[in-house]
Amino acid sequence: MAGGGTAVLCQVLSGTGGVGKTQLAAHHARTVWQAGAVDLLVWVTATSRDAVLSAYAEAAVTVTDPDDPQRAGLDDPERAAVRFLAWAQSTDRRWLIVLDDVSDPAHLNGTDGRSDLWPPARPNGRTVVTTRRRDAALPGHLIDVGLFTKSEAVGYLRTKLAAQGRHDDPGQVKELARDLGHLPLALAQAVTYLLDLHLDCATYRARLADRARRLPDLVPEDSGLPDAHRATVAATWSLSIEHADRLRPTGLARPMLHLAALLDPNGIPATVLTSPPALAYLTEHRTPDGDTDPGVSPRAVGVDDAADALRCLHRLSLADHTPNTPHQEVRVHNLVQRATREALTPAARDTAARTCADALHEAWPEVERDTALGKALRANTAALTAHAADALWQPDAHPVLFHIGNSLGHTGLVTAARAYFQDLHTAARQNLGPDHPDTLTARHDLAYWRGAAGDAAGAATATAELLADRLRVLGPDHPATLSTRHDLALWRGSRAAADVAWAATAFAELLADQLRVLGPDHPDTLMTRHDLAHWRGAAGDAAGAATGTAELLADSLRVLGPDHPITLLARHNLAHWRGEAGDAALAATVFAELLADSLRVLGPDHPITLLARHNLARWRGEAGDAAGAATAFAELLADRLRVLGPDHPDTLVTRDYLAHWRGQADGASGGVR
């Protein structure tokens, strides 16, 4: 502001409620007044047109000569305001007009026959505007007033505490600043509250984290607010929400904020808030206006309407809507979110929560090619679970709860997936009971990712126990029971060489039942055909495995298409068995093509992609390129360590192959393991 004071005639301080726009403007006004840089300072609380007219009328009286015959007409605020602005336009005196808290730029616009109340652009005049609005029509140079930085927030708390002889644990001070989202208003009111009640930062943080306490209970009462604050943190944004709700498309900003308040404050994918479930919620919960006929059903909200509602929140600084930020287009301060959630009834919160869960489920791609999107969706689902976990267990476990864990595993974070499903299974037992189908599904996924994380024996044992319960609860022909039989054969075959033949037999028996119950084109049936071919080959029938895999590939292409994971697996195994049959060069060529498609469809960290890299490196070596194989295995090992960790069986296998091919490249009989 000071730097632009000699060149910019109008400066607009814009930001969310509580960042200190008014304090900045007041500091600037005092500074220039005390320095003698202006002859007239006019401070206008510009929350309404009448308030602006009243302030201008008072200023008109101040600048008008007492002997001026037209002074008698200044009792009309509209005429007096015009007189004052005319004076500002023509005078040589230096003036500064501060329009504080402009709630609606239209209050100052000269439309519908009204006078334009924006101060004139004059070399000797300066205007400062503070507002929560971000409208493009605002005049002057926009200055975005953001939150404190981390160091500013911590420094502020330490200074306030030190002034009262307090020196709290530096770590707790830092965490309190983070808990309050570095919002100046919240920091000021929180430190006043804890000083008044003689609390340390750790105790205040515990109260802040207690969901049974509401924000108004964690700040001083109105009479004890610091720094001449006009309202508590919770009340600061209420007027902004009302204004946003009146912007076109009317009535959508508030319900949109209800949804955003339950998701990740660090970034919400726009596809979630514009999904069909979100649009249906906005249609049903649109705030009625005075012109709405109660007997007429509201028009269905479309994607453009939802995007415009986000812009309304952005214009009132209730959210940051940045469409060019992939997967984090919408951000809402965590305290704005909390104040919004606390204004909802429990029933309304649960309805919004289930809508968010439906929206996340809708936005989740079947195959997570974009790891950044998967990470954002997991973060938003975790935030939703933290805010409204109970709503996601009624009447059953919402599918999005399973998406998080499987997303972790398919991204390569198999250990994290196992830990997640351990917690999910515990929650399912508590909420639904041990025999509920969703509880059994959580057990199934826990066993699967236990095996994928390297514990095939533990996975086989857990799956066998689950099979007994699924047979008892669901019966032998239920798809979930058949799926459990599939995994039992998988993990028993992976557990020990002696179980390979058993696994092949078990898959053959399962295939017969799946053909009868599910049909030949069901994805589960196709996957069993894939595993049957694999384990037949592992049992010694390489020719039969190659034939079975070739037939499966043709059917997978017909039923699922070229980019489905089952199709990619069929291509993978067909190339493997061709290599085992003696054509190493062909296997290497096919794996190179498969790797390109796996990277495109599944991403670099997906297990199928990593497996394709492993086999490409192996068959390059078998085809005669030992040095190339060693280099490829070294690069793969780095990624295996990053994704799976040092103790995962796949990591250990990669280390063995790296040692082997380094030895081959060096002309030695072996390498260092």
Side-chain angles (χ1 to χ4, degrees), residues 369 562-563 568 571 594-604 609:
R369 167 62 184 87
D563 290 342
L568 296 176
R571 289 174 58 191
L594 176 60
L595 176 58
D597 288 336
S598 296
L599 286 167
R600 174 179 57 82
V601 175
L602 303 174
T609 304

Side-chain angles (χ1 to χ4, degrees), residues 250-273:
T250 56
L252 293 185
R254 188 184 300 272
M256 178 63 82
L257 190 58
H258 292 168
L259 299 179
L262 291 163
L263 298 170
D264 184 14
N266 299 309
I268 307 168
T271 52
V272 173
L273 296 174

Side-chain angles (χ1 to χ4, degrees), residues 348-658:
R349 183 205 60 190
D350 289 352
T351 298
R354 285 190 288 270
T355 297
C356 287
D358 291 342
L360 288 162
H361 185 264
E362 181 79 20
W364 221 304
E366 183 177 355
V367 176
E368 280 185 38
R369 167 62 184 87
D370 191 333
T371 56
L373 174 59
K375 183 178 180 180
L377 292 171
R378 292 195 299 271
N380 276 272
T381 306
L384 175 62
T385 304
H387 297 317
D390 291 347
L392 305 187
W393 290 101
Q394 299 299 328
D396 303 309
H398 196 283
V400 78
L401 294 173
F402 296 91
H403 260 314
I404 303 181
N406 289 315
S407 172
L408 286 167
H410 290 308
T411 304
L413 304 173
V414 292
T415 302
R418 179 184 60 188
Y420 175 84
F421 278 111
Q422 181 68 66
D423 293 338
L424 186 67
H425 175 238
T426 300
R429 285 181 62 93
Q430 293 172 348
N431 285 278
L432 304 175
D435 286 344
H436 190 283
D438 290 340
T439 305
L440 299 177
T441 298
R443 284 177 62 188
H444 176 275
D445 289 342
L446 171 59
Y448 178 83
W449 291 113
R450 183 176 178 179
D455 185 6
T461 300
T463 305
E465 295 169 352
L466 173 62
L467 179 59
D469 288 333
R470 276 190 157 166
L471 285 166
R472 173 177 55 84
V473 175
L474 303 175
D477 287 345
H478 193 282
T481 304
L482 298 175
S483 179
T484 304
R485 288 175 57 190
H486 173 279
D487 281 12
L488 179 58
L490 172 68
W491 298 123
R492 281 195 61 178
S494 302
R495 183 177 60 180
D499 286 329
V500 169
W502 181 92
T505 300
F507 276 120
E509 295 171 351
L510 173 62
L511 179 59
D513 289 334
Q514 287 181 325
L515 287 168
R516 174 177 55 83
V517 175
L518 303 176
D521 291 343
H522 193 282
D524 288 355
T525 306
L526 296 174
M527 190 65 196
T528 297
R529 288 175 59 190
H530 166 274
D531 287 315
L532 174 58
H534 170 79
W535 290 109
R536 277 179 173 169
D541 184 8
T547 300
T549 304
E551 294 171 351
L552 169 64
L553 177 58
D555 288 337
S556 295
L557 286 167
R558 173 179 57 83
V559 176
L560 303 174
D563 290 342
H564 194 280
I566 293 178
T567 306
L568 296 176
L569 277 173
R571 289 174 58 191
H572 176 280
N573 276 2
L574 183 57
H576 170 78
W577 294 119
R578 283 176 173 170
E580 291 291 342
D583 197 340
L586 176 60
T589 300
V590 174
F591 273 117
E593 296 170 351
L594 176 60
L595 176 58
D597 288 336
S598 296
L599 286 167
R600 174 179 57 82
V601 175
L602 303 174
D605 292 340
H606 194 280
I608 294 177
T609 304
L610 296 175
L611 187 60
R613 288 176 60 188
H614 174 96
N615 282 287
L616 173 58
R618 177 200 168 184
W619 292 110
R620 282 182 65 180
E622 297 288 354
D625 185 6
T631 300
F633 274 116
E635 295 170 349
L636 175 61
L637 179 60
D639 288 329
R640 291 278 201 200
L641 288 166
R642 173 178 58 82
V643 173
L644 301 176
D647 297 329
H648 191 279
D650 290 350
T651 305
L652 299 177
V653 168
T654 300
R655 291 180 59 188
D656 282 344
Y657 273 86
L658 173 59

Side-chain angles (χ1 to χ4, degrees), residues 241 244-245 249-263 268-287 301-314 318-321 330-332 336-337 340-341 344 352-353 355-356 359:
I241 296 173
D245 224 23
T250 56
L252 293 185
R254 188 184 300 272
M256 178 63 82
L257 190 58
H258 292 168
L259 299 179
L262 291 163
L263 298 170
I268 307 168
T271 52
V272 173
L273 296 174
T274 58
S275 65
L279 299 181
Y281 177 89
L282 295 175
T283 300
E284 183 177 354
H285 295 85
R286 188 171 198 158
T287 307
V301 173
V303 172
D304 290 343
D305 297 321
D308 289 345
L310 291 171
R311 295 307 298 173
C312 291
L313 294 174
H314 180 86
L318 291 163
D320 291 319
H321 181 220
V330 183
R331 296 172 184 263
V332 184
V336 175
Q337 289 185 314
T340 302
R341 292 194 303 270
L344 295 172
T355 297
C356 287

Side-chain angles (χ1 to χ4, degrees), residues 112-237:
D112 300 328
R114 302 184 304 179
S115 302
D116 190 331
L117 301 183
W118 291 106
R122 291 283 296 166
N124 57 308
R126 297 289 182 270
T127 301
V128 172
V129 179
T130 74
T131 181
R132 303 179 194 188
R133 303 287 289 259
R134 294 170 171 171
D135 301 61
L138 284 167
H141 174 63
L142 182 67
I143 300 175
D144 186 15
V145 182
L147 305 169
F148 276 165
T149 65
K150 179 169 65 175
S151 60
E152 287 171 342
V154 171
Y156 174 85
L157 289 176
R158 286 177 176 170
T159 300
K160 288 290 187 179
L161 290 169
Q164 299 297 320
R166 290 273 300 273
H167 300 283
D168 282 32
D169 180 346
Q172 291 294 329
V173 173
K174 179 180 178 181
E175 289 303 307
L176 177 57
R178 183 185 63 82
D179 291 345
L180 296 171
H182 305 149
L183 180 70
L185 177 70
L187 295 165
Q189 295 186 3
V191 75
T192 299
Y193 178 89
L194 65 87
L195 287 171
D196 287 347
L197 273 66
H198 303 286
L199 305 175
D200 58 26
C201 288
T203 302
Y204 182 81
R205 290 187 62 225
R207 293 191 179 188
L208 188 65
D210 184 355
R211 298 184 186 279
R213 296 178 182 267
R214 297 170 63 84
L215 278 180
D217 301 327
L218 298 168
V219 296
E221 297 181 8
D222 290 351
S223 60
L225 293 176
D227 303 331
H229 291 175
R230 303 172 190 167
T232 63
V233 171
T236 297
W237 299 289

